[in-house]
Amino acid sequence: MDKIKGKAKEAVGNATGNDRMKSEGKTDQAKGKAKGAVDEAKDRADGVKDSLRGERDDS
């Protein structure tokens, strides 16, 4: 969600010449990417943990 909000802010900043809005948009996008990376790492860690326990997701 932060990435989408950030893209919108950056677009508005570009359209209006508002450097602060552009900067906020880029920051929001970076936060969104970081959150996504953390979520992905958690999912991978859970998968490894399940694998070590012998649990599998056959879906």
Side-chain angles (χ1 to χ4, degrees):
M1 197 59 160
D2 284 322
K3 289 190 329 187
I4 295 169
K5 181 175 73 171
K7 283 193 178 282
K9 277 186 178 181
E10 186 177 6
V12 169
N14 282 329
T16 61
N18 185 331
D19 290 335
R20 181 176 177 190
M21 184 73 74
K22 284 193 284 189
S23 179
E24 286 179 11
K26 289 180 181 184
T27 300
D28 287 345
Q29 289 178 65
K31 281 195 304 190
K33 287 179 185 177
K35 285 179 185 178
V38 168
D39 289 343
E40 187 176 322
K42 285 181 183 178
D43 289 344
R44 286 181 189 220
D46 286 342
V48 169
K49 181 174 64 175
D50 291 345
S51 176
L52 292 173
R53 287 185 182 161
E55 299 174 10
R56 291 182 13 185
D57 182 12
D58 291 332
S59 54

